[in-house]
Amino acid sequence: MNFTSFLDHEHHKKLLGSVDALLLMKFGACARVLNGARNLDQQYRKYASCTGAEIGSLFQRRRWYCEDARYRCSAFWKPSSKTHEEKKPKNGKEDSNVLLAQAGFIRQAYSGIFHLLPLGLRVQDKIERLLDKHMHSLQASKVSLSSLSSQDLWVKSGRLGAGTDVFTFSDRKDAKWLLSPTHEEEITELVGSLVQSYRDLPVRLYQISRKYRDEPRPRQGLLRGREFLMKDLYTFDVDVPAALRTYDGVRAAYNKFFDELKIPYIVARATSGNMGGELSHEYHLPSSKGEDSVLSCSHCDHVKNEELVTSGQVSTRLLESCDFDIPSALEEIPKLKEAVFITNDKESLVKAYCKHRDAGASSATSENEINPYAVKAAIPEVALGIENPSEQFFSSNSTTGRILYMFDDQITRSDAQAQLATARGHNSPPDAPMFIVESPSGSMRIPDLVKPQTGDRCPACSEGRIQVQKAIEIGHTFHLGTRYSEVLNAKVAVGPASKSQHEVFMQMGCHGIGVSRLMAATASALSDKVGLNWPRVIAPFEVIVIPHQVRDVESCVAVYDQMLQGEAACNDAIVDDREKDWLSKLREADLIGYPVIVFLGKAWKERGEYEVQCRRLKVKQTVSGVELSGFVRRLLEQL
């Protein structure tokens, strides 16, 4: 029966009278529609009594379009690299970025730059939709700002200095541009030009867009790349109390977002860095692959990033002869641990020292180490992450450079003097003046230069013990205050329209979640020796149906439809209908990390029962066809 004769049938007039029913016209040419039926007339008669709304709801579900609209592995591009077994690391630990590449989610194009393949794009799209949902709960409006930004704006904000990891370039008219790693300057300029009255506040704008960073050492795949996808929310309020209420609202929305992901996360107080402001929190996923160290107390709610160091002001003093006097009671020169840093201008070399940890101490878990963030908190000009700082210092400073010495307060004065005497005799040329960094009290020993370690006493409550966890940062909230609105003149008028009206700078907040970073961090946190393990809400597909033999594919299609009909067991599924052996299909499914696998194996052939596997919940059970949908639904609700 062709579509023209279908239109002539009397019992279809009701359908054609509805606007929703016009959807049928788009699919009338399909050979097999409405759940893959072979006879159009038969299926249309079945649904002729439906209202237009009911027909519309049917067409919202992909399974009603046509059989080819079902997701099948044969029609879904999933390129794979070498087999999982061939690339297994020697130490037995799986690298999540290697797994993402092997399973066909990403491919590296250049150093720090990756292509997203269909599986990876499905994960990314689901993360974006979930973010849209929670941003809508904040009444935030979505925008899309240009990836190009004027260097002039960044010069005004003071963020385009030497050593910044920003891609900059000039166009043919010699105008200066950059590829935005973030959009504080642009959004402030935009809102400042469009909002003039306090009545127009609050304003909450967000985007999900690509950002760029001239990363000097790209590493760990999507975790530290030159191009990345990020959700950034910018908030504008009239005063500090309103801005802090907004800040708390965003934090609550972030908590709900991560709760819905059902992944372990940590919220920690953090430093604001060059973003500005004095209040910020980070969201972390615990992972041995993380570059951050998060400190939490066993007794109180003290949780912070290791980078957050509060130190008093320090001063520097030129060393005098008395500073090198070694007490006669000192039998031998102490061996101290040294860490060396250089300032951004390369004119100062900083040497920090601490004691070796007492091997007999009960809290000792490893050797003492200098905390580089404590050094930077005391001397903000220090550049972290610079390789071979001593070589760079002595090669660029023959007469003008200076050397600063810092000692942790656990080091005795006599030991510090002995170290200085040794340094003067062996390490410092006569034309490099030596300075000592002193605490506000005038002591040559600085408190808390040592990295905190698991087992140390909590500095907040003094009762609990600190636990240090490696973690991956996936989100950050900042209360910026007027950091950008002042320099970019973003003001609103407050008060009645009279002489008493005055202008104030808008209070800003910036709140980001790394979308591509979240994908990699989730893969890292939940993967195991077998493969990836996705949470249900962002899994590329929630269920995969695998037959024992290719001739059983039609039975898999029936299971596919059962999963999505009535009280649906899942939101999406895929059938593996490829001409491959069942064992390799199961191994690939484990590598990709589908939450649930339905296998039509021996039990199905003998008793009509399906084998359901959920690796994350350690479930492997056979269930009847009647129980299948409910059983799968209950599993997915736990993921």
Side-chain angles (χ1 to χ4, degrees):
M1 182 180 193
N2 58 38
F3 192 63
T4 304
S5 59
F6 157 71
L7 296 178
D8 295 332
H9 276 241
E10 192 68 21
H11 59 265
H12 298 139
K13 290 182 178 179
K14 184 177 179 180
L15 288 179
L16 295 178
S18 168
V19 174
D20 291 285
L22 292 177
L23 291 171
L24 293 172
M25 298 177 67
K26 293 184 178 181
F27 301 95
C30 291
R32 300 162 76 179
V33 297
L34 296 177
N35 203 21
R38 298 178 183 275
N39 190 313
L40 283 171
D41 186 59
Q42 178 183 351
Q43 284 291 349
Y44 286 152
R45 286 181 183 277
K46 180 178 179 181
Y47 294 100
S49 60
C50 293
T51 65
E54 289 169 338
I55 289 293
S57 68
L58 294 177
F59 273 79
Q60 290 173 9
R61 304 296 294 268
R62 183 179 294 273
R63 64 180 182 277
W64 295 110
Y65 292 163
C66 61
E67 185 179 67
D68 291 340
R70 295 187 183 94
Y71 282 108
R72 299 169 180 263
C73 289
S74 61
F76 190 90
W77 193 50
K78 295 191 294 131
S80 58
S81 59
K82 293 184 179 180
T83 63
H84 185 48
E85 292 77 7
E86 288 175 348
K87 283 198 171 184
K88 189 168 290 187
K90 294 180 180 179
N91 60 9
K93 294 183 179 180
E94 301 298 341
D95 185 282
S96 59
N97 289 288
V98 171
L99 291 177
L100 285 170
Q102 287 178 341
F105 286 79
I106 61 173
R107 279 296 181 278
Q108 181 168 331
Y110 311 99
S111 176
I113 299 174
F114 292 83
H115 296 313
L116 214 59
L117 305 185
L119 281 173
L121 188 59
R122 283 187 66 85
V123 175
Q124 176 180 291
D125 288 344
K126 288 189 175 184
I127 294 174
E128 290 189 39
R129 287 198 294 271
L130 190 62
L131 284 169
D132 287 336
K133 169 186 170 182
H134 289 281
M135 291 302 98
H136 180 69
S137 72
L138 291 169
Q139 299 181 351
S141 300
K142 195 171 187 178
V143 297
S144 180
L145 304 181
S146 171
S147 294
L148 298 181
S149 183
S150 169
Q151 291 187 29
D152 292 340
L153 284 180
W154 283 63
V155 170
K156 288 181 182 179
S157 68
R159 291 208 295 173
L160 195 64
T164 55
D165 51 358
V166 177
F167 285 106
T168 59
F169 63 96
S170 301
D171 64 16
R172 65 184 66 194
K173 297 180 180 180
D174 205 31
K176 305 297 183 183
W177 302 93
L178 57 82
L179 292 176
S180 295
T182 183
H183 281 84
E184 283 74 24
E185 286 82 0
E186 288 290 346
I187 199 73
T188 305
E189 183 82 357
L190 174 67
V191 174
S193 66
L194 297 175
V195 176
Q196 283 80 41
S197 171
Y198 76 97
R199 294 184 179 88
D200 298 325
L201 297 179
V203 171
R204 297 168 182 173
L205 304 173
Y206 81 100
Q207 64 173 346
I208 301 175
S209 62
R210 292 192 177 276
K211 307 291 194 296
Y212 302 89
R213 175 177 54 212
D214 190 8
E215 178 63 48
R217 291 190 304 118
R219 56 197 181 275
Q220 297 196 54
L222 297 175
L223 292 179
R224 177 77 49 186
R226 293 178 173 177
E227 181 185 37
F228 52 97
L229 193 72
M230 183 172 143
K231 188 283 302 174
D232 39 339
L233 165 70
Y234 301 98
T235 62
F236 297 82
D237 288 278
V238 67
D239 53 29
V240 173
L244 292 180
R245 287 193 297 271
T246 296
Y247 186 87
D248 290 339
V250 173
R251 287 192 59 203
Y254 271 29
N255 288 338
K256 291 178 181 177
F257 169 78
F258 290 113
D259 287 342
E260 192 166 349
L261 279 175
K262 295 185 178 179
I263 54 177
Y265 68 95
I266 304 170
V267 185
R269 281 292 307 272
T271 177
S272 296
N274 69 345
M275 289 289 292
E278 298 181 354
L279 176 63
S280 73
H281 287 82
E282 288 177 344
Y283 290 78
H284 295 269
L285 261 63
S287 172
S288 59
K289 299 291 183 182
E291 296 181 331
D292 289 89
S293 294
V294 178
L295 283 56
S296 56
C297 176
S298 61
H299 182 74
C300 67
D301 59 357
H302 177 71
V303 183
K304 72 169 188 174
N305 191 310
E306 180 186 61
E307 299 175 6
L308 182 62
V309 179
T310 55
S311 62
Q313 293 182 347
V314 297
S315 59
T316 58
R317 174 177 60 82
L318 185 66
L319 286 168
E320 303 172 2
S321 298
C322 60
D323 294 310
F324 302 100
D325 292 339
I326 303 177
S328 57
L330 196 64
E331 297 181 356
E332 59 179 323
I333 302 299
K335 293 182 179 180
L336 304 178
K337 295 201 71 173
E338 179 187 74
V340 183
F341 308 89
I342 192 172
T343 53
N344 288 310
D345 58 12
K346 297 186 178 181
E347 293 187 358
S348 298
L349 191 71
V350 181
K351 294 188 174 184
Y353 296 90
C354 66
K355 290 179 63 176
H356 286 270
R357 185 180 284 264
D358 182 2
S362 59
S363 64
T365 56
S366 60
E367 273 290 333
N368 277 342
E369 291 183 28
I370 291 292
N371 186 352
Y373 304 107
V375 176
K376 186 171 179 62
I379 307 175
E381 298 80 12
V382 163
L384 302 182
I386 301 296
E387 296 182 357
N388 304 316
S390 295
E391 293 180 12
Q392 294 198 34
F393 173 76
F394 288 113
S395 64
S396 58
N397 293 279
S398 57
T399 57
T400 60
R402 62 176 187 164
I403 303 178
L404 307 178
Y405 290 86
M406 301 178 69
F407 294 93
D408 181 65
D409 62 353
Q410 295 180 7
I411 298 174
T412 63
R413 180 178 177 84
S414 59
D415 284 352
Q417 288 177 306
Q419 182 64 46
L420 289 171
T422 303
R424 183 176 64 171
H426 298 90
N427 298 326
S428 299
D431 53 1
M434 301 171 65
F435 288 77
I436 186 73
V437 179
E438 295 183 329
S439 68
S441 64
S443 170
M444 67 165 54
R445 294 170 296 152
I446 309 298
D448 302 324
L449 277 184
V450 177
K451 271 188 176 184
Q453 296 189 20
T454 296
D456 290 349
R457 192 175 297 278
C458 174
C461 69
S462 300
E463 296 182 23
R465 295 291 177 175
I466 289 294
Q467 180 185 6
V468 181
Q469 289 179 281
K470 283 292 183 183
I472 300 171
E473 181 188 345
I474 51 176
H476 207 146
T477 59
F478 300 90
H479 168 58
L480 300 175
T482 59
R483 160 74 172 86
Y484 296 91
S485 57
E486 283 191 26
V487 295
L488 297 175
N489 200 35
K491 298 185 290 186
V492 292
V494 297
S498 63
K499 293 182 179 180
S500 62
Q501 189 177 65
H502 62 285
E503 292 184 326
V504 298
F505 292 108
M506 286 183 272
Q507 294 286 328
M508 286 182 60
C510 170
H511 317 276
I513 288 179
V515 176
S516 50
R517 198 173 171 83
L518 177 59
M519 182 192 305
T522 303
S524 176
L526 300 182
S527 63
D528 56 25
K529 63 181 180 180
V530 177
L532 300 167
N533 256 324
W534 295 104
R536 174 192 185 180
V537 71
I538 62 171
F541 294 95
E542 295 178 357
V543 177
I544 183 169
V545 187
I546 300 176
H548 186 273
Q549 294 178 318
V550 177
R551 64 172 178 261
D552 300 327
V553 166
E554 288 304 316
S555 298
C556 290
V557 169
V559 174
Y560 176 102
D561 292 336
Q562 181 182 346
M563 293 290 100
L564 297 169
Q565 286 176 355
E567 189 179 352
C570 61
N571 294 317
D572 54 21
I574 189 168
V575 174
D576 197 337
D577 59 343
R578 296 170 298 168
E579 293 186 1
K580 295 178 64 175
D581 66 278
W582 63 272
L583 186 57
S584 63
K585 290 181 181 181
L586 285 173
R587 287 176 176 172
E588 184 185 277
D590 280 334
L591 176 60
I592 290 173
Y594 301 106
V596 173
I597 299 172
V598 178
F599 179 53
L600 279 65
K602 185 177 179 180
W604 176 74
K605 287 184 176 297
E606 294 179 352
R607 303 184 300 276
E609 295 181 337
Y610 303 94
E611 184 179 294
V612 180
Q613 301 179 21
C614 178
R615 196 170 81 254
R616 193 172 168 199
L617 298 177
K618 297 180 173 58
V619 170
K620 187 175 182 181
Q621 185 173 331
T622 57
V623 297
S624 67
V626 176
E627 301 172 316
L628 181 61
S629 293
F631 186 75
V632 170
R633 187 186 310 111
R634 288 190 294 273
L635 289 178
L636 290 173
E637 287 171 352
Q638 300 177 58
L639 299 175

